[in-house]
Amino acid sequence: TAQQPPARDRLRFGDAVVRALRQFSRFSGRASVAEYWWFALFVVLLWGALYLMAAIVGSAGSSGGVGQTVGALLLGMSLVVLVVVIALIVPIVAITVRRLHDTGRTGWWALLLPVPLLAVLVYFFCLLPGNIGSNKYGEQPPVPLD
């Protein structure tokens, strides 16, 4: 059975997000399970917060005659969401490629991400444990110590 690393050796949420964003366009190397899924959680939380704000603004427009103001706010929110989505496409693909590398697979599997049913296969691969030690894509990802 696999043992859990000591608490001080585990990658934390903030560390994983910072590491992923610093390597936003790096398609070589490897990313650990923790780094990948913490970053995925960050992306989901960020998009969720943006869409929630857009929904709140949109629901405010249904009460009273403030349609133009709410319309302008919704347009602004939509632009913010669009910019965030576009800004995160490269980091999402890059960390997915590095995660696939960690499992010993080619990053070309990431091309399946836009295909809903086939993307599930890519996410399944990203759930698998990484290779211990080095593989043809590089050294095992480091875990920061306190």
Side-chain angles (χ1 to χ4, degrees):
T1 63
Q3 289 184 322
Q4 287 284 341
R8 65 179 173 74
D9 293 346
R10 292 190 198 136
L11 187 63
R12 287 182 238 125
F13 176 79
D15 296 331
V17 172
V18 167
R19 183 185 292 178
L21 291 175
R22 280 189 180 153
Q23 299 179 30
F24 77 95
S25 64
R26 186 169 157 238
F27 292 85
S28 61
R30 296 167 59 179
S32 68
V33 173
E35 181 180 352
Y36 179 82
W37 288 107
W38 279 130
F39 186 69
L41 177 63
F42 165 75
V43 169
V44 167
L45 291 174
L46 179 63
W47 287 353
L50 290 171
Y51 282 109
L52 180 63
M53 286 189 290
I56 290 169
V57 168
S59 68
S62 63
S63 59
V66 292
Q68 280 186 319
T69 303
V70 170
L73 286 172
L74 275 176
L75 178 62
M77 282 300 303
S78 298
L79 291 174
V80 168
V81 169
L82 180 65
V83 167
V84 169
V85 167
I86 290 171
L88 288 176
I89 287 174
V90 171
I92 289 168
V93 175
I95 197 169
T96 302
V97 167
R98 291 194 316 272
R99 178 73 203 114
L100 289 165
H101 287 172
D102 191 45
T103 66
R105 289 171 179 77
T106 178
W108 290 106
W109 281 101
L111 291 175
L112 298 178
L113 288 174
V115 184
L117 292 176
L118 296 178
V120 172
L121 182 62
V122 177
Y123 294 130
F124 171 75
F125 290 154
C126 290
L127 283 170
L128 297 175
N131 300 132
I132 302 296
S134 21
N135 68 15
K136 65 181 177 179
Y137 299 104
E139 293 295 319
Q140 188 172 356
V143 177
L145 298 174
D146 290 336

